[in-house]
Each structure stands twice: as structure tokens, then as C-alpha cells.
Amino acid sequence: MVLFFVVIVAVAIGIYVGVIYFQRSFRKQINEYQTQLEELSNNTLDSEINKIEKLHLTGESLREFEELKKNHKKLTNREMPEISEMILDLNDLNERYKFMQERSELLEVGSKLQHVKEETRQLEEAVNEMKEKSEEHQKAVTELKDKYRDIRKTLLAKNFSFGPSIDKLEENLSKLEEDFDKYAKLTE
């Protein structure tokens, strides 16, 4: 009879240790997911998107930016809060010792979190690409301004050597200046 009670106590202790082990291991994973979600929420993508928005994009760049912005809003306003809610539910399941349901939900949260990480990485790449294109564009505009100034200086310095063609050259240069000003205004 004593042996029977010893076995029951040993089984009870084993079950208790198992429950504590599962609870702690699941809590550790939940906390890890929570940390990952907070890191994703605290990234600098919002400020980078705001910087790009001030660039006054047009055409294909504007369409790409609008798509990027829409995807970012979807992540921050829908998917991340959904994952956060699931993590809160996981904490509740862990407190109520529902380990089987918790395990399947942990897998789902992990999968969704991985998806959000990948989407965030792709958005960051797209933002960086847009910034690089903008910098290249600004550099090209600056180079064009410099070339225009050099041509203008050459015409002013050597206008007597061009003879009667100077009027036509001045007219063409004025048209070029007008076109360049329109272009610069569109891209400011």
C-alpha cells in the first residue's frame, strides 16, 4: 500500500514538474516573440517613408511609393496588432495550462511573425532603393545645372566669336532653361 502511495506521489510530482517545464518553456518563447514584435514595431521605416513622401515623386516612382506605403500601413495597422493580440491570448492559454492549444498557436504566431519580418525587410529594401534613386536624381540635376552654367558662361565670354548665330544660340539656351526650370519644379 505504501508503494502505491509512493508511486502516486512520484507521478504527481512528475506531472507537476512537466507542467512547470512546459509553462516556462512556452513563456520563454512567448517573450521572445513579444521582443521580436517590439523590435519590428520600433524600426525606422515610418520616418524613412515620411522622408520619401516629401520628395514629391511623380509617375512610376509615385505608384511604387504608394504601393509601398499601403503595404507598410497594412503591416503596422493590421498584421502587427493581430500578432500582438495573439501573443496576449498565448499568455492567457499559458496561465490556464492549455498546452496543446498553446503549442499550435505558438506555431501560428511564429509563422505570422516570420511573414511580417520578411515583408518589413522587403519594404526596407524598397525604401533604400527609392532613396538611392532620389540621390542619383539629385546628383544628375546638379550636374545638369553645372553644365548649363558652363554653357551660359561660354556664350557670354565668346559671344562676339559666334557672330550672327548668337541670337539663335541664346534663344535655344533660353528654351533649355525654361524646360529645365519646369523639370526642376516637378521634381522638387
Side-chain angles (χ1 to χ4, degrees), residues 104-115:
S104 66
E105 296 239 354
L106 270 171
L107 292 173
E108 185 177 352
V109 168
S111 173
K112 286 186 177 198
L113 196 56
Q114 191 62 35
H115 169 73

Side-chain angles (χ1 to χ4, degrees), residues 39-86:
E39 287 172 1
L40 286 170
S41 297
N42 294 333
N43 69 13
T44 60
L45 207 52
D46 286 329
S47 64
E48 295 296 327
I49 287 175
N50 289 335
K51 286 178 188 176
I52 291 175
E53 194 166 31
K54 293 176 184 176
L55 294 178
H56 304 290
L57 301 172
T58 59
E60 184 66 29
S61 296
L62 180 61
R63 282 188 289 279
E64 287 175 13
F65 174 72
E66 291 298 327
E67 184 68 24
L68 183 143
K69 190 174 173 183
K70 183 179 87 174
N71 289 340
H72 180 258
K73 283 188 185 286
K74 183 178 106 181
L75 280 178
T76 57
N77 295 338
R78 196 171 83 210
E79 292 185 25
M80 285 180 171
E82 182 181 316
I83 292 172
S84 182
E85 185 67 32
M86 290 176 79

Side-chain angles (χ1 to χ4, degrees), residues 61-181:
S61 296
L62 180 61
R63 282 188 289 279
E64 287 175 13
F65 174 72
E66 291 298 327
E67 184 68 24
L68 183 143
K69 190 174 173 183
K70 183 179 87 174
N71 289 340
H72 180 258
K73 283 188 185 286
K74 183 178 106 181
L75 280 178
T76 57
N77 295 338
R78 196 171 83 210
E79 292 185 25
M80 285 180 171
E82 182 181 316
I83 292 172
S84 182
E85 185 67 32
M86 290 176 79
I87 288 173
L88 291 174
D89 291 344
L90 282 170
N91 281 321
D92 186 46
L93 289 173
N94 198 36
E95 293 298 319
R96 292 188 289 152
Y97 308 107
K98 295 189 175 184
F99 299 129
M100 297 304 284
Q101 185 179 356
E102 183 177 10
R103 184 167 187 245
S104 66
E105 296 239 354
L106 270 171
L107 292 173
E108 185 177 352
V109 168
S111 173
K112 286 186 177 198
L113 196 56
Q114 191 62 35
H115 169 73
V116 168
K117 282 181 187 178
E118 180 62 26
E119 286 289 320
T120 301
R121 186 191 61 75
Q122 289 175 356
L123 289 172
E124 287 172 346
E125 285 178 4
V127 164
N128 289 335
E129 186 177 313
M130 288 186 123
K131 282 177 28 183
E132 288 173 8
K133 283 181 183 178
S134 175
E135 289 169 3
E136 289 173 7
H137 174 74
Q138 291 297 348
K139 184 179 176 184
V141 168
T142 303
E143 288 175 4
L144 284 175
K145 281 182 183 179
D146 292 343
K147 284 182 182 180
Y148 171 78
R149 285 186 197 121
D150 289 343
I151 292 171
R152 174 61 87 187
K153 284 180 188 177
T154 303
L155 278 179
L156 290 174
K158 299 180 181 181
N159 67 0
F160 60 88
S161 64
F162 293 114
S165 65
I166 190 70
D167 293 334
K168 188 66 173 169
L169 289 171
E170 284 286 341
E171 183 182 320
N172 287 341
L173 194 58
S174 294
K175 287 180 183 177
L176 181 63
E177 183 179 15
E178 287 174 16
D179 290 343
F180 184 74
D181 286 343

